Amino acid sequence: MLTVTAGDVEGMRPFFAPERPGPMVFGHVATTGRGIVAVDRWPGPRVAMAQVGQDTALRGDPDHLSPDAFAGAAAFLEAPPQWEAALRNIDPALAVWPRIIATLPAGAHLPVSDAVLLGPDDVPGLAALPADIAWIHETWGGPEGLALARVARGYRVDDELVAVAVPFHIGSAFEDVGVVTAAAHRGHGRALTCAAAVLQDIRDRGRVPSWSTSPDNPGSLAVAARLGFVHHRDDVLYAINLPSPDDSH
């Protein structure tokens, strides 16, 4: 795959239109500059791939997806159903991860939140997050990238950052929320507190919040319901060279 130059990324938008709530990998790359867009050939691409961290979106003609497109690399793939056969040719053990996508209605009332806006001074706290929740800063290039973006909200206990919410994917019309809480601090409403603050930030930017989770994650579903999210669609992600993961947001 050939990496598209930064100046040509915006021209790839028609491949990924229309934007939908949920994982907006291309939108995040185009909006934040994090990640890459790659194609099978240039000019005249037939396959377009947007990627940030392990999150990947595929569009175009699956018949032209190269068998070595992933070269053994692991990825969570968002793609239309017609891509499954081509992906399974690459990884016969391809896992299908059911997802629920919800959106926040304009009239939903958000609770008052005391979650703090994280900034450059919070790099050490983000870097110290337990390994099982460190994925929260992946789409921002790591702890420093997320801190410098000033888009994350956090909750501290005794100066320890124990919960974080972020716009995990930012598109042109929607922002998809990710939220984590350290295991020892779950069950106290801290995920809800952080998420509520991020949702208000998203509204202030003029975009619609979305929430992506799996049907077997009752904690995430409960937080989304308390915040006022409503079901938008059922979807799947494909896990290539990976098992279907345990969800935590």
Side-chain angles (χ1 to χ4, degrees):
M1 299 287 282
L2 306 173
T3 300
V4 175
T5 63
D8 289 320
V9 165
E10 187 59 36
M12 298 299 298
R13 188 175 292 276
F15 269 91
F16 298 90
E19 181 179 284
R20 302 191 301 167
M24 293 161 283
V25 183
F26 172 81
H28 194 75
V29 175
T31 302
T32 70
R34 298 286 178 182
I36 64 166
V37 175
V39 295
D40 65 317
R41 67 181 186 185
W42 191 269
R46 299 162 298 186
V47 173
M49 174 192 295
Q51 190 168 50
V52 57
Q54 288 188 326
D55 291 353
T56 303
L58 281 169
R59 295 293 189 274
D61 185 349
D63 289 341
H64 293 286
L65 181 66
S66 171
D68 60 356
F70 293 93
F76 297 121
L77 287 155
E78 185 272 321
Q82 61 265 31
W83 283 85
E84 183 173 350
L87 295 172
R88 207 167 285 283
N89 285 337
I90 294 174
D91 177 13
L94 183 77
V96 180
W97 188 19
R99 304 294 283 164
I100 293 174
I101 311 299
T103 54
L104 190 69
H109 174 73
L110 295 174
V112 175
S113 173
D114 58 354
V116 297
L117 184 66
L118 303 184
D121 291 343
D122 295 296
V123 172
L126 288 166
L129 290 174
D132 64 322
I133 61 173
W135 59 263
I136 196 66
H137 46 62
E138 181 183 74
T139 60
W140 290 94
E144 184 175 2
L146 179 57
L148 293 178
R150 298 179 185 269
V151 293
R153 293 281 184 162
Y155 192 95
R156 297 187 184 93
V157 174
D158 297 330
D159 292 328
E160 177 189 357
L161 195 60
V162 301
V164 178
V166 305
F168 199 65
H169 292 137
I170 292 183
S172 58
F174 301 95
E175 297 189 25
D176 200 51
V177 178
V179 58
V180 295
T181 306
H185 296 273
R186 292 171 188 163
H188 301 287
R190 285 156 188 161
L192 186 143
T193 295
C194 292
V198 167
L199 298 180
Q200 187 58 58
D201 293 340
I202 292 170
R203 282 178 164 176
D204 291 345
R205 288 191 286 269
R207 298 189 179 107
V208 176
S210 72
W211 189 278
S212 304
T213 190
S214 57
D216 60 354
N217 188 336
S220 179
L221 292 168
V223 171
R226 289 182 63 189
L227 289 165
F229 279 90
V230 297
H231 182 271
H232 180 268
R233 72 179 187 276
D234 295 326
D235 209 337
V236 300
L237 290 177
Y238 301 104
I240 193 165
N241 300 318
L242 280 169
S244 183
D246 292 328
D247 191 22
S248 56
H249 81 288

